[in-house]
Amino acid sequence: MENMGERMTLNNIITKWSQQSLVLRILTGLVIGVILGLAVPEWTGISILGVIFVSALKAIAPILVAVLVAASIAKAGSGLGSRFRVVISQYMLSTFIAAMCAVVGSMLFPVTMRLDHVADNAAPGALTEVFTNLITNMVTNPIASLSQANYTGILFWAILIGLALKIKASEQTINVVHEFSEVITLTVKWVIQFAPLGILGLVFTSVSESGLEVFTTYGHLILLLVGCMMANTLIFNPLISYILLRRNPYPLLFTCLKESGLQAFFTRSSAANIPINMNLCKKLGLDEDFYAVSIPLGATINMNGAAVTITVMTLAVTHTMGVEVSFGAAIFLSIIASLGACGTSGVAGGSLLLVPMACSFFNIGNDVAMQAVAVGFIIGVIQDSVETALNSSGDVFFTATAEYYDRMKKGHLERGNYHQKGISINFFAKKRLKVWQFGRK
């Protein structure tokens, strides 16, 4: 009886813990990680919690994207073409604008890093080389793409398989594939429930190795990165939406930031945040056939935060090395960063791995560039979190914009408030923004 009572108590504790807000639990893990990193840095075993969590996300995210895209295309109805053109155009334009914003910010507020200057005669790459790499990644063996988290290849093969299923497979087979995608989605949700422990381990590792300097040493670099990302989030993305809808975009934007951006900030994985984004799209009353494809697609190619990171980090290296960057070279860097960002991994730290590629165009070799990558991982607690929040919330924001734009053209969306399943979006708030309201409408 005593054992049964103990089990019941443990079950009650676990149940109450899981019912708490995930954001609150993650903040708790973050605070505990900082305290342990300062108090007992020799307890290195705590770091394994972060390693396990990140490894689990990296392992399941490629499978999630593959099955979601394939299943969604197989089940998709007709009439999605115009919406896809709009949402893809928004993804690509936003990514390029983000890179240009980072160029301007880096020129106005140049920052440097502590790097060991290593002589290197690496030749800058060509734009054709970038296209060649993207195409090569697309046609990589699909099994290898999954195992190596090559999201460009995963997306390419998933689209082809989805189209093949749509043409040749029976309804029963398509339903099986769709159910399998739901199984993988549920698995990811289970993994995310362990985010508090994972964040505890990640923060402990950073603080125990670098102390609180991890939050202060590279303060200027962090401010520049976050400033450029916030400018893109709060100014340029809403401007794109306003041009299409001619409506106040901020209520929709703040809803996406609250419902999606906060979760992505702590999980630091666009791919792992896909189920949360799809649930938000459902709350917003969007077409499932559309968002079930556009959301996984956005997790792969809507990488404006990654474009900012690649551009800012690269220009910080050029400033440190004393390399002059002309206006034409800055434009070229923006294009390269945009293209590279579209193929970056959807998990924590993926964009940093593109920095050496961008640095190579300024004859800065891999030895120096990888030092910048190491700096990026040090500040990643903030940089990568903000980047992922921008990327992931933008997926829903642009998906909703494309859907509403399509409804406006068809005359299905009227002026005023839009209510759906507990979310109220006031497009025309004048004096103050009614960002979101809860309760049945």
Side-chain angles (χ1 to χ4, degrees), residues 125-148:
L127 187 58
T128 54
E129 181 181 344
V130 177
F131 282 113
T132 300
N133 290 337
L134 287 174
I135 294 173
T136 301
N137 286 336
M138 285 174 57
V139 295
T140 299
N141 181 289
I143 304 301
S145 296
L146 283 172
S147 63
Q148 298 169 9

Side-chain angles (χ1 to χ4, degrees), residues 39-53:
V40 285
E42 67 276 8
W43 292 6
T44 55
I46 298 175
S47 301
I48 194 65
L49 295 173
V51 173
I52 292 174
F53 177 66

Side-chain angles (χ1 to χ4, degrees), residues 107-300:
M107 295 299 183
L108 293 177
F109 307 101
V111 296
T112 59
M113 295 183 285
R114 291 179 295 182
L115 303 175
D116 295 327
H117 292 216
V118 180
D120 202 306
N121 296 319
L127 187 58
T128 54
E129 181 181 344
V130 177
F131 282 113
T132 300
N133 290 337
L134 287 174
I135 294 173
T136 301
N137 286 336
M138 285 174 57
V139 295
T140 299
N141 181 289
I143 304 301
S145 296
L146 283 172
S147 63
Q148 298 169 9
N150 171 19
Y151 284 93
T152 305
I154 290 170
L155 185 63
F156 175 75
W157 290 113
I159 291 173
L160 287 186
I161 292 172
L163 291 173
L165 285 169
K166 187 176 182 65
I167 294 171
K168 298 295 293 184
S170 65
E171 186 67 26
Q172 292 83 356
T173 301
I174 292 176
N175 287 336
V176 169
V177 175
H178 183 69
E179 289 176 0
F180 182 64
S181 71
E182 293 179 342
V183 169
I184 299 299
T185 300
L186 180 59
T187 303
V188 173
K189 290 180 179 179
W190 287 345
V191 172
I192 293 176
Q193 290 302 312
F194 291 92
L197 293 176
I199 297 301
L200 188 156
L202 291 171
V203 172
F204 170 84
T205 301
S206 299
V207 173
S208 63
E209 292 179 355
S210 305
L212 293 180
E213 291 183 0
V214 69
F215 301 108
T216 59
T217 301
Y218 298 103
H220 290 114
L221 181 58
I222 293 174
L223 286 175
L224 178 59
L225 284 164
V226 173
C228 291
M229 292 179 190
M230 294 306 295
N232 203 66
T233 302
L234 300 176
I235 300 175
F236 299 112
N237 284 358
L239 180 61
I240 294 173
S241 178
Y242 177 78
I243 290 173
L244 287 173
L245 300 179
R246 299 295 178 180
R247 300 183 176 205
N248 181 359
Y250 287 99
L252 174 61
L253 174 67
F254 293 144
T255 297
C256 294
L257 288 173
K258 176 182 181 295
E259 298 281 327
S260 171
L262 277 179
Q263 302 284 358
F265 180 89
F266 292 107
T267 62
R268 300 168 67 190
S269 172
S270 297
N273 210 49
I274 288 174
I276 294 171
N277 283 349
M278 295 182 70
N279 184 58
L280 176 56
C281 287
K282 183 178 181 180
K283 289 181 179 179
L284 292 172
L286 306 184
D287 181 5
E288 184 176 0
D289 284 345
F290 176 51
Y291 70 72
V293 178
S294 69
I295 293 299
L297 181 66
T300 302

